[in-house]
Amino acid sequence: MANKNNEALKQPLWLNNPVVVQILGICSALAVTAKLEPAIVMGLSVTIIVAMSNVIISLLRNTIPNRIRIIVQLVVVAALVTIVSEILKAFAYDVSVQLSVYIGLIITNCILMGRLEAFAMQNKPWDSFLDGIGNGLGYALILVIVAFVRELLGSGELMGFKIIPDWCYAHGYMNNGLMLMPPMALILVGCIIWYHRAKNPDLQEK
């Protein structure tokens, strides 16, 4: 049982990462990673919502009629997304504005629906909670890596703090504006996928 729980929590962090292995959640990875702060908030929001929705659906799984299970899942996710959105507006309004509609679009995030269908509907609440935490943090990890590179090289800052010193600019260094454009996020995600495949030959297509 302990090994199963460890796998549910740890495998999505890297070996079975939802973004680089399952190729899920790519759209939001491109949209919210121009800066590190919104990427962190988005990652934590998805982690909380995946974990809690997994638990709720796991508790209800034996009482949900099969023909309406997707509707029930969407209602649960929508309720949690609304709660998280309102909390962000109350306590982190600036970040909420930066994330704009993307918080609401968590409802359609394929990582969420995938874990509810593939895991929560067949497993107990604690196992489902760990699975949600693992997949949410795996998703957040990729967002943070991409946002770190994009903000650092694109604006010379991280979380609003200037990182690249003035003497670098005095010697000709320039911020790379391309890093702040969505295509660069796709290229960075592609590089991470390439590196992941290189380190895990078993995942390479024959």
Side-chain angles (χ1 to χ4, degrees), residues 66-78:
N66 189 58
R67 65 183 182 277
I68 63 166
R69 70 186 190 284
I70 300 298
I71 296 174
V72 173
Q73 292 169 11
L74 285 172
V75 169
V76 170
V77 171

Side-chain angles (χ1 to χ4, degrees), residues 79-120:
L80 291 171
V81 168
T82 301
I83 292 170
V84 169
S85 178
E86 292 304 312
I87 290 173
L88 286 177
K89 289 177 182 177
F91 297 102
Y93 182 75
D94 290 341
V95 177
S96 176
V97 171
Q98 290 180 57
L99 291 173
S100 183
V101 299
Y102 296 107
I103 285 290
L105 289 176
I106 293 175
I107 296 171
T108 60
N109 192 308
C110 40
I111 295 174
L112 271 158
M113 301 309 297
R115 297 326 298 167
L116 293 177
E117 273 290 291
F119 200 92

